[in-house]
Amino acid sequence: MPFVKRNAEGAIVAASHGAEGDCVEEISEAELLASGFLERLVGTEGSEGLHLASSDLELVRVIEDVVDLLVDKGVILFTELPESAQKKVLARQQLRSRIGGSLNLLGDD
């Protein structure tokens, strides 16, 4: 469930995957989508902004896999990552294991 921060008028001005900083109100993903916050987040760039946001999500998955590879090969120790990064990596690993870990990063090319 996402957590949000609202301004004085009640509009969502920030969102987070967890209760962090000022994002302390838990709402459903449907409520977040219905609020229009994500559309405002990508701004007036229209479809280019949506493509950029989608690209960001894809890059996050790649970076997560790179971190896993570096740890597996012993290049870095997981405990060398900042504690906040460790928590986020572990949370994503748990989510990926629940959905089967199948992200199809390379596509069918």
Side-chain angles (χ1 to χ4, degrees), residues 34-75:
S35 74
F37 172 74
L38 297 175
E39 287 80 6
R40 291 190 309 275
L41 185 64
V42 296
T44 58
E45 299 91 3
S47 65
E48 287 182 359
L50 291 174
H51 288 297
L52 181 61
S54 175
S55 171
D56 287 348
L57 294 175
E58 292 170 3
L59 187 58
V60 166
R61 292 175 180 162
V62 171
I63 291 170
E64 181 184 353
D65 288 341
V66 169
V67 168
D68 288 343
L69 179 66
L70 293 172
V71 170
D72 289 346
K73 291 193 172 277
V75 175

Side-chain angles (χ1 to χ4, degrees), residues 1 9 31 34 40 45 47 60 63 66 90 94 97 99 106 108:
M1 289 283 225
E9 291 78 35
E31 288 176 281
R40 291 190 309 275
E45 299 91 3
S47 65
V60 166
I63 291 170
V66 169
L90 289 172
Q94 290 172 350
S97 69
I99 63 169
L106 299 178
D108 294 328

